[in-house]
Amino acid sequence: DVKVTQSSRYLVKRTGEKVFLECVQDMDHENMFWYRQDPGLGLRLIYFSYDVKMKEKGDIPEGYSVSREKKERFSLILESASTNQTSMYLCASCPSGVGNYGYTFGSGTRLTVV
Amino acid sequence: KNEVEQSPQNLTAQEGEFITINCSYSVGISALHWLQQHPGGGIVSLFMLSSGKKKHGRLIATINIQEKHSSLHITASHPRDSAVYICAVLHGGNQFYFGTGTSLTVIP
């Protein structure tokens, strides 16, 4: 069964900490995405990547960075965590022909910044 | 302004009822994705469609490209159908735009 795996389901971090959220997919997908999900706002795109070492800003990149050194792994980095980054973070991947297949999502990481 | 609007936002139904969730969008699309999210967060794909109708078990999805509208129907609803249902549209490239979801509760 194909999978997108996020390293943590629940995470509690302190304000100012550097936080790493990891996402690994085993489907050889070219495209990977990081979203955050907040009540009433739906999924908002933070960053995405079309290929190794490639990254593109999404709608809300401020306060975040990403890294994609290998095709299967896409990391989201909160440089200095703040309380307004408390959210559910979802990773997704898709092949280049996304119109046929859609996204495969990870199970999410619920991050709380205190 | 959200390119994708879902209605209703919340829906409560009795077990066995026929349920319809609507999705309207304002941009040209090449595909539409219906997703399901259970409590706990994981999101699973239900349907990808670009025209017509698709059926899987008790779930039916339809799309009308001219009217920019899609519906997700659940026949003979069951408490295990309780979840958030999310519509997403593919507008250029590989990026989806998401609705805010419809929260469905099916009461036994």
Side-chain angles (χ1 to χ4, degrees):
Chain A
D1 195 17
V2 295
K3 274 191 176 173
V4 176
T5 303
Q6 293 184 231
S7 52
S8 306
R9 289 300 303 272
Y10 299 95
L11 212 50
V12 180
K13 295 292 182 180
R14 293 196 178 277
T15 300
E17 277 193 74
K18 191 168 185 175
V19 181
F20 293 86
L21 302 183
E22 305 287 346
C23 176
V24 177
Q25 51 96 2
D26 64 0
M27 297 165 282
D28 201 37
H29 285 173
E30 290 80 11
N31 304 305
M32 297 187 75
F33 305 82
W34 275 108
Y35 288 88
R36 65 177 281 176
Q37 184 181 33
D38 300 289
L41 296 178
L43 278 79
R44 293 181 292 167
L45 182 64
I46 305 171
Y47 267 97
F48 59 103
S49 170
Y50 287 144
D51 202 350
V52 175
K53 297 192 186 295
M54 303 292 286
K55 59 184 178 183
E56 297 284 344
K57 292 181 180 179
D59 299 318
I60 51 164
E62 297 77 19
Y64 303 94
S65 63
V66 290
S67 172
R68 193 165 181 202
E69 296 297 317
K70 294 184 178 181
K71 190 176 186 180
E72 66 270 20
R73 185 181 296 270
F74 191 35
S75 302
L76 180 69
I77 303 153
L78 285 67
E79 298 291 343
S80 177
S82 64
T83 54
N84 63 11
Q85 293 178 310
T86 291
S87 187
M88 169 70 90
Y89 289 87
L90 288 150
C91 175
S93 73
C94 71
S96 54
V98 66
N100 295 321
Y101 304 103
Y103 285 177
T104 301
F105 281 89
S107 53
T109 295
R110 190 167 292 281
L111 173 67
T112 302
V113 182
V114 297
Chain B
K1 177 186 174 294
N2 196 359
E3 290 86 355
V4 184
E5 300 284 347
Q6 288 186 237
S7 63
Q9 284 190 304
N10 298 285
L11 182 56
T12 301
Q14 290 291 134
E15 183 174 357
E17 282 187 15
F18 180 84
I19 289 163
T20 296
I21 299 169
N22 297 298
C23 175
S24 296
Y25 51 92
S26 57
V27 295
I29 70 168
S30 53
L32 185 142
H33 203 172
W34 279 104
L35 304 142
Q36 180 192 56
Q37 184 176 31
H38 278 285
I43 296 177
V44 297
S45 174
L46 298 176
F47 295 103
M48 278 283 293
L49 64 166
S50 55
S51 64
K53 178 179 172 177
K54 284 191 176 180
K55 184 175 188 293
H56 182 69
R58 294 179 296 105
L59 301 177
I60 304 165
T62 64
I63 188 168
N64 185 319
I65 295 293
Q66 287 74 28
E67 294 185 4
K68 293 187 166 59
H69 182 268
S70 176
S71 293
L72 177 68
H73 306 287
I74 306 175
T75 62
S77 59
H78 190 276
R80 64 175 175 267
D81 298 325
S82 297
V84 174
Y85 292 84
I86 301 169
C87 170
V89 300
L90 186 62
H91 172 60
N94 288 320
Q95 191 182 143
F96 280 92
Y97 294 88
F98 292 83
T100 54
T102 294
S103 180
L104 171 66
T105 302
V106 182
I107 299 169

